[in-house]
Each structure stands twice: as structure tokens, then as C-alpha cells.
Amino acid sequence: MKLYTYEESGNSYKVRLLMSFLNIDCEKIDVDLMQAVQHQPEFLAVNPRGEVPVLVDDNLTLRDSAAILVYLANKHGCEPWWSEEAGEQAAIMEWMAFAASWVQYGVFTARAIVSFGISGNGIPHEFNEDIAPSTIRGKRSLEILDEHLTSREWLACGRPTIGDIAVFPYVALAPMGNFSLDSYQAIVGWLERVKSLPGFFPIAGLDDADYRK
Ligand SMILES: N[C@@H](CCC(=O)N[C@@H](CS)C(=O)NCC(=O)O)C(=O)O
């Protein structure tokens, strides 16, 4: 199994986190996003979207972190990270979809623009994205998440799932996009719970939001 990944990519980190939680070994191929390697023909042949992560397992190529999380969690015991039950699957998917929409185009994009000077959303780097919509969407998504977590410990099913893994990185890294998490105490408590899971390891920026500024 091969994973195309980049050290500071939160979407790649989601996959690496699940692999660590499940003790899955895999060859890692570094794609230097800062050198725009993802937009070179060689990598575009692997993923025409010009994005990491990409997982290759025999004849299967998966070009999306959510698809990879579902695949790996299913393949390695299903529960607790995924589920065999339709209602639980849908509840987990609700948060994975939230990660790929509200989170990606909110706190993710703001972090990419503020700390890396690019949108990070796969479009060539010479195109600049306006930060204003990401800031508005990011703030709203933190409010939605905080409200949800006020009455529960985990996002779905009463246990840590790949829904939590999908939402965690960019919410935890939101301060790199100039969001303060101080007024979202339910989120802060949940971040600490994720960080205390056996096998957890950090990504750059988790404890120093200014390291790229
Ligand atoms: N929907 C994709 C999004 C992946 C994505 O946003 N990847 C970013 C890094 S975290 C990327 O490769 N960006 C390349 C670029 O913007 O040039 C997923 O969840 O895997």
C-alpha cells in the first residue's frame, strides 16, 4: 500500500492519524506542495485533481481523504471507527461531508491563504482566492460544531469515529488562519479528547499557530 502525502497537509494527516490508530503500515511518498509538484504531469497522472492524499492499494487508487478513511476503517475491523449499521454510517458521513464542505472551504482555506499564501484547493497557485468567504464560513462552522459538541463528547455514535478524524485537523489548526478558539470551549474540550486517543501524534502548527507567519 502506498500513500502520497505531504507533511503539512491536514487532509493527508487525517489518513496518517487513522493509520496510526489502527497500526497500519504503508509506504509514504512525499509530494512537495510548496514546490507545486502536485501540478506536474507526473503527479497529475496519479491524481488529475492535483491534490494529496492519494492511496494506492493494489489495483485500487483513492484520491480523497474521506474515501480513504472509509476504505481503511472498513478493511481494518469496521468498528469502532466506522460502522456496519446504516444509521450510524450516515451519522458518521454527515460529519465527513461537513469536513469536506464547511471545514474545507472555511477554516482550511483561511489557513492556506494566511499561512501558506495559496488557496490550497487544488487550483494552480497563480490564482488567488479572496479570504472573506472563508472567514465567514469558518466562523459559522465553528459555531455549528461548538453547539453540537456542547451536549456530546464525540461527533457521532457516542464514540470516536472517522467523522472526528475528518473534522479534527483543520479545526485544531484554525488559529493558523487567524481564528481564535477561545470562545468555543466545547470544541476545545473535544480537541483535547482527540489528542488523548492512543496513537495520536501532532501536525506542525497544532501548538504554534504562528510558525508559518
Ligand atoms: N477532497 C480532498 C481535498 C484534498 C486537499 O485539499 N488537498 C490539499 C492539501 S491538504 C492539496 O493537495 N492541495 C494542493 C494545492 O492546492 O495545490 C480530500 O479530502 O482529500
Side-chain angles (χ1 to χ4, degrees):
M1 205 156 57
K2 272 192 312 206
L3 179 70
Y4 292 83
T5 177
Y6 178 62
E7 199 60 27
E8 293 176 89
S9 150
N11 281 314
S12 302
Y13 175 56
K14 295 172 188 179
V15 175
R16 293 189 296 117
L17 264 185
L18 182 66
M19 285 181 163
S20 174
F21 291 148
L22 290 173
N23 276 315
I24 299 172
D25 214 16
C26 155
E27 180 192 347
K28 312 268 188 331
I29 299 165
D30 188 65
V31 180
D32 191 341
L33 300 188
M34 294 302 104
Q35 298 302 319
V37 171
Q38 70 278 25
H39 299 301
Q40 300 301 315
E42 197 182 323
F43 183 75
L44 291 174
V46 177
N47 184 5
R49 300 167 205 176
E51 296 174 330
V52 290
V54 177
L55 184 83
V56 180
D57 191 13
D58 290 328
N59 293 328
L60 181 70
T61 300
L62 296 171
R63 303 169 183 91
D64 182 84
S65 61
I68 300 169
L69 291 178
V70 169
Y71 175 67
L72 291 178
N74 248 312
K75 209 176 159 184
H76 294 266
C78 200
E79 290 186 10
W81 297 102
W82 180 238
S83 174
E84 285 179 3
E85 200 266 310
E88 284 203 347
Q89 289 179 355
I92 296 167
M93 280 311 301
E94 183 183 329
W95 289 101
M96 299 187 74
F98 182 75
S101 54
W102 281 88
V103 173
Q104 176 89 10
Y105 296 103
V107 287
F108 165 104
T109 305
R111 166 182 176 260
I113 294 172
V114 170
S115 289
F116 296 88
I118 56 169
S119 84
N121 282 313
I123 55 171
H125 294 174
E126 58 267 30
F127 298 104
N128 294 321
E129 259 185 60
D130 180 10
I131 196 168
S134 321
T135 302
I136 294 164
R137 205 177 281 117
K139 181 172 180 296
R140 188 69 199 114
S141 60
L142 293 175
E143 289 164 0
I144 292 166
L145 190 60
D146 198 64
E147 161 100 46
H148 183 75
L149 285 165
T150 299
S151 53
R152 40 181 83 70
E153 296 214 321
W154 304 101
L155 294 182
C157 309
R159 63 175 187 271
T161 68
I162 52 175
D164 297 277
I165 296 179
V167 175
F168 172 82
Y170 294 112
V171 169
L173 295 171
M176 285 181 73
N178 290 341
F179 294 91
S180 166
L181 294 176
D182 291 349
S183 47
Y184 305 109
Q185 282 309 304
I187 291 181
V188 170
W190 168 74
L191 294 178
E192 290 310 311
R193 284 191 286 283
V194 174
K195 287 182 193 172
S196 65
L197 291 168
F200 178 87
F201 64 92
I203 182 171
L206 220 47
D207 296 317
D208 178 11
D210 292 331
Y211 84 101
R212 273 271 183 189
K213 290 182 193 156

